[in-house]
Amino acid sequence: GAVVSQHPSWVICKSGTSVKIECRSLDFQATTMFWYRQFPKQSLMLMATSNEGSKATYEQGVEKDKFLINHASLTLSTLTVTSAHPEDSSFYICSASDRGLSGANVLTFGAGSRLTVL
Amino acid sequence: GQNIDQPTEMTATEGAIVQINCTYQTSGFNGLFWYQQHAGEAPTFLSYNVLDGLEEKGRFSSFLSRSKGYSYLLLKELQMKDSASYLCAVRDSNYQLIWGAGTKLIIKP
């Protein structure tokens, strides 16, 4: 089945630094990847849709200059949290869709990256 | 607005059956998904319904009624490892996924 690899799985950084998270589709090409953020005991919040070869589409309220998304190839998307602050501490999850047996565009998620900003 | 409702938390006993309900109001409908998410991990796909009726997959079944805007996930022969959050998500007319807040299922011995 479809596999999405995401790393790092966890990262601790100082306030003001930048952190890059990578998301790779290992056995399929993903023209579109999705980046989610999840705070404790809350549901997934879509941050942006990453499109290969073009600019990402950001959801309302998400700062595109703070959360830089690059989708340079069909198998790799990166999220860079720039000038991170403690309030950016969260669980960031990427996903990509691959057609499952049902014909649905089933989302496959990476393992997630837990970011803690001190 | 678009809305997905599911219970916040449910408790069940090992070996028993539990039904997790999901009701939705969305702009159009292009399928409903159930995902399982263990604490600290990413969600994993469980089921997909686009037509009315019951889809069975092993111990898990999912039901959909589009006219009622209603779905449920049925878990049989509960095991301790089934303790997790169960997320209901609906794809709307723009093919955007709308996520419920998730139902935390606690399994007791």
Side-chain angles (χ1 to χ4, degrees):
Chain A
V3 178
V4 174
S5 173
Q6 181 177 348
H7 75 89
S9 55
W10 60 271
V11 59
I12 301 173
C13 70
K14 294 182 179 180
S15 183
T17 60
S18 294
V19 174
K20 179 185 283 188
I21 302 170
E22 291 190 352
C23 181
R24 295 179 184 271
S25 56
L26 295 186
D27 50 0
F28 66 101
Q29 294 183 331
T31 55
T32 304
M33 291 186 176
F34 305 89
W35 286 96
Y36 288 88
R37 180 168 53 184
Q38 187 176 35
F39 292 105
K41 298 184 180 180
Q42 295 187 23
S43 189
L44 299 171
M45 290 176 46
L46 180 64
M47 298 175 66
T49 302
S50 172
N51 304 297
E52 187 269 335
S54 64
K55 293 183 179 180
T57 304
Y58 289 83
E59 295 300 301
Q60 192 173 9
V62 178
E63 300 174 58
K64 62 180 181 181
D65 294 330
K66 180 171 184 60
F67 299 99
L68 300 179
I69 292 174
N70 184 280
H71 195 154
S73 77
L74 287 171
T75 59
L76 174 64
S77 176
T78 61
L79 168 68
T80 301
V81 183
T82 62
S83 187
H85 291 285
E87 57 266 29
D88 298 324
S89 298
S90 186
F91 191 46
Y92 293 86
I93 316 173
C94 73
S95 67
S97 76
D98 184 31
R99 282 201 185 274
L101 295 177
S102 64
N105 285 335
V106 176
L107 275 185
T108 300
F109 288 86
S113 300
R114 188 163 303 282
L115 171 64
T116 301
V117 184
L118 302 177
Chain B
Q2 309 205 89
N3 193 48
I4 307 253
D5 287 315
Q6 48 181 135
T8 304
E9 186 174 297
M10 299 182 71
T11 302
T13 305
E14 189 177 15
I17 299 173
V18 71
Q19 177 175 311
I20 302 174
N21 296 324
C22 171
T23 57
Y24 62 90
Q25 301 90 36
T26 57
S27 301
F29 178 84
N30 279 299
L32 184 144
F33 299 80
W34 283 96
Y35 281 82
Q36 180 191 61
Q37 185 177 24
H38 285 100
E41 299 181 11
T44 55
F45 170 74
L46 287 179
S47 67
Y48 168 73
N49 294 71
V50 68
L51 299 176
D52 291 350
L54 187 67
E55 294 280 342
E56 297 186 77
K57 190 185 295 184
R59 294 189 299 115
F60 294 1
S61 303
S62 57
F63 171 83
L64 174 67
S65 169
R66 288 171 296 170
S67 62
K68 295 181 179 179
Y70 168 70
S71 172
Y72 68 72
L73 179 69
L74 190 71
L75 293 77
K76 302 177 183 177
E77 301 171 17
L78 286 171
Q79 301 175 10
M80 297 303 293
K81 67 179 182 179
D82 297 329
S83 293
S85 286
Y86 291 85
L87 306 173
C88 173
V90 173
R91 180 178 288 146
D92 68 10
S93 57
N94 293 320
Y95 280 79
Q96 298 296 314
L97 268 181
I98 313 299
W99 292 89
T103 298
K104 182 179 180 180
L105 178 63
I106 300 169
I107 309 297
K108 294 185 175 181

